[in-house]
Amino acid sequence: MGKLSRKGVVSEIILAKDRLPPIIVDFQNGNVDPNEIGCLNVNVHKCERTNKRLVSVTSDGIGYKGVCKNPLLRRFIAIRRKSTREVRLFEAAMCTLSPCLEQTKAVKLNLSDNEIRRALAKAYGTKARRMNAVLAETLKLDADEVKEAAANVEITEERLEEASKMKVDPVYEVLPPHQREAKEIEEVYKLEDILVEEILHHFDEEVKRIMNCTPEELKENNLSEFFFSAWQVLQCKYDGMERKILSLKCLLFVECLGHLLQTSAVNLRKVGYSTCYFSETLSDYILNLFTSKMVNGRSCSKAQQDKAICYVLVLCFLNFDYKVDITTLIKVTKSSVTRLTQLCRVIGARVDKQRIATLRLPLAVPPVPRKQKKT
């Protein structure tokens, strides 16, 4: 078979006037799969308003549409007859089909700006922002419920007097339960208000062990030097066994608070941290009283540290006849002499030049916080 000649002669040119010309289709998002050609549903119609031809194609539920363009440059489709080499030219129209994507209607939310910000924080914010958004919703108060509850409260003159008595100066919030208006020094701070009945029995086993231990055996528990020196003094000071046991419980409580105050913020956030080596229940009680529970463990603020130091000072005052050398508590509380002196004044004690703090009536006036200068 000889080589087929590609020469031809144009015999006829058919222009697209008012009739429907052949349409060359180009898909915007890719080429047509040859296996899907038979599945294409094509529809061509003319828009009466714009007088333009519209082409729509559907395949597997996906729609495509486009408008036949009318460019300045005409395009033709050539059809050649092999036998006569005659070529017929048909003017063709060009059409680019674009996929029809379903547009989502904008939904107007009845949310305030703060609610929208919280929703965005919960969806895309950092861990801290997400937790703050959740806490803001948890702690949110319903205005109607508050109004209803307030309407059901009966306010009398007696209740107003009680409320005025319950007002506490913020400087005294770090103190253990106390009665500053007491007429006797023994009534200002009471040991039973600090070592409450619910935690007293948790000391029993450790007290029995210490009472029957030698100093060398006690050193295995890594107790502080203050504990050993104070326990030697208290053993000689009190003759009755009941008072010795109670003073030992005070020292153990001080030891637990000292361990908490000496713990770094990193170790405080560790899972399973304990401030009491002999009782998990007592450790939980101390942590709930002097620390705050956070997302990643616990934290002890400056005010909570001051509260723990005040408890240590008051227990020492009650154990040592209301007179304490505060320099012996520097290492236990991990604080300075200046800070201990200020907290002694908050408690009501006075500190002399030899750093001896004495608690007596009338109680000392707490220090006034300095006003920060505006820059």
Side-chain angles (χ1 to χ4, degrees):
M1 186 175 179
K3 186 176 180 182
L4 181 64
S5 176
R6 295 183 179 181
K7 293 181 180 180
V9 178
V10 177
S11 61
E12 185 180 4
I13 298 176
I14 302 172
L15 300 176
K17 294 182 180 178
D18 294 330
R19 65 182 182 81
L20 180 65
I23 301 174
I24 301 175
V25 175
D26 179 25
F27 285 87
Q28 190 182 43
N29 62 338
N31 299 324
V32 179
D33 187 355
N35 299 325
E36 299 292 333
I37 292 178
C39 303
L40 298 176
N41 297 321
V42 183
N43 184 22
V44 181
H45 61 279
K46 196 171 185 180
C47 180
E48 296 179 356
R49 184 173 59 85
T50 60
N51 202 26
K52 292 182 179 180
R53 286 188 175 88
L54 304 177
V55 181
S56 61
V57 178
T58 57
S59 174
D60 293 335
I62 301 176
Y64 300 86
K65 67 179 180 179
V67 179
C68 291
K69 299 178 181 179
N70 187 20
L72 298 177
L73 181 65
R74 289 183 174 182
R75 288 177 173 80
F76 292 88
I77 297 176
I79 300 177
R80 179 177 177 272
R81 184 176 292 179
K82 295 180 182 179
S83 58
T84 61
R85 298 180 183 178
E86 292 180 351
V87 178
R88 301 172 68 190
L89 298 179
F90 294 86
E91 187 179 0
M94 296 295 297
C95 182
T96 302
L97 298 180
S98 304
C100 301
L101 302 177
E102 184 178 354
Q103 294 183 354
T104 304
K105 294 182 179 181
V107 180
K108 188 175 181 180
L109 301 176
N110 295 324
L111 298 176
S112 63
D113 293 341
N114 290 334
E115 291 173 337
I116 293 174
R117 280 194 288 269
R118 282 198 294 268
L120 290 174
K122 288 196 294 183
Y124 306 105
T126 60
K127 187 175 182 181
R129 287 185 177 274
R130 290 198 301 269
M131 285 305 304
N132 289 336
V134 173
L135 287 174
E137 291 182 354
T138 306
L139 301 176
K140 185 179 179 180
L141 296 176
D142 189 350
D144 295 334
E145 292 181 0
V146 173
K147 289 179 181 178
E148 184 179 354
N152 296 330
V153 175
E154 183 180 356
I155 301 177
T156 61
E157 293 183 1
E158 295 179 357
R159 289 193 175 185
L160 288 174
E161 292 179 0
E162 292 178 0
S164 62
K165 292 180 181 179
M166 292 175 63
K167 289 182 180 179
V168 180
D169 194 323
V171 74
Y172 299 131
E173 291 180 354
V174 297
L175 298 180
H178 61 282
Q179 183 64 38
R180 296 187 69 88
E181 294 79 14
K183 302 300 182 182
E184 297 180 2
I185 192 64
E186 292 81 6
E187 298 295 325
V188 179
Y189 297 98
K190 295 182 179 180
L191 191 57
E192 56 268 24
D193 293 335
I194 302 175
L195 296 181
V196 293
E197 189 175 356
E198 62 181 286
I199 66 170
L200 268 178
H201 64 279
H202 293 292
F203 294 92
D204 294 341
E205 293 296 328
E206 183 62 14
V207 167
K208 290 179 182 178
R209 189 185 71 84
I210 292 176
M211 297 287 285
N212 298 319
C213 278
T214 61
E216 289 75 17
E217 293 174 338
L218 287 179
K219 291 181 180 178
E220 297 177 0
N221 298 117
N222 295 323
L223 295 171
S224 65
E225 296 179 2
F226 173 79
F227 176 86
F228 287 108
S229 59
W231 178 228
Q232 290 178 359
V233 173
L234 293 175
Q235 280 181 307
C236 301
K237 179 179 179 181
Y238 298 114
D239 296 330
M241 184 59 65
E242 185 177 352
R243 189 64 183 89
K244 282 185 180 181
I245 292 174
L246 190 57
S247 63
L248 181 54
K249 290 181 179 180
C250 290
L251 288 181
L252 287 173
F253 196 78
V254 169
E255 194 71 13
C256 295
L257 293 181
H259 184 263
L260 173 64
L261 291 168
Q262 295 168 25
T263 303
S264 64
V266 176
N267 292 332
L268 196 59
R269 289 195 294 267
K270 289 183 178 180
V271 179
Y273 168 77
S274 178
T275 188
C276 181
Y277 70 92
F278 58 87
S279 173
E280 288 297 326
T281 305
L282 186 58
S283 176
D284 293 339
Y285 174 83
I286 293 173
L287 291 176
N288 292 331
L289 189 60
F290 299 101
T291 65
S292 300
K293 194 171 184 181
M294 309 296 289
V295 179
N296 55 346
R298 288 186 172 271
S299 68
C300 188
S301 64
K302 184 71 176 294
Q304 289 169 328
Q305 292 176 12
D306 289 343
K307 183 178 180 180
I309 296 173
C310 286
Y311 270 68
V312 170
L313 289 169
V314 170
L315 286 173
C316 290
F317 282 131
L318 295 177
N319 256 344
F320 296 99
D321 298 331
Y322 305 101
K323 187 175 290 188
V324 177
D325 183 357
I326 61 174
T327 57
T328 61
L329 297 175
I330 293 176
K331 191 174 181 180
V332 176
T333 59
K334 200 180 178 181
S335 56
S336 63
V337 173
T338 303
R339 188 179 182 187
L340 289 172
T341 303
Q342 291 175 343
L343 292 177
C344 281
R345 288 185 58 187
V346 174
I347 291 171
R350 295 172 174 82
V351 182
D352 58 20
K353 294 181 180 180
Q354 286 74 36
R355 308 302 184 189
I356 304 299
T358 306
L359 183 65
R360 63 176 182 269
L361 294 178
L363 300 178
V365 179
V368 179
R370 294 180 180 179
K371 294 183 180 180
Q372 296 181 353
K373 296 182 179 180
K374 295 183 180 180
T375 57

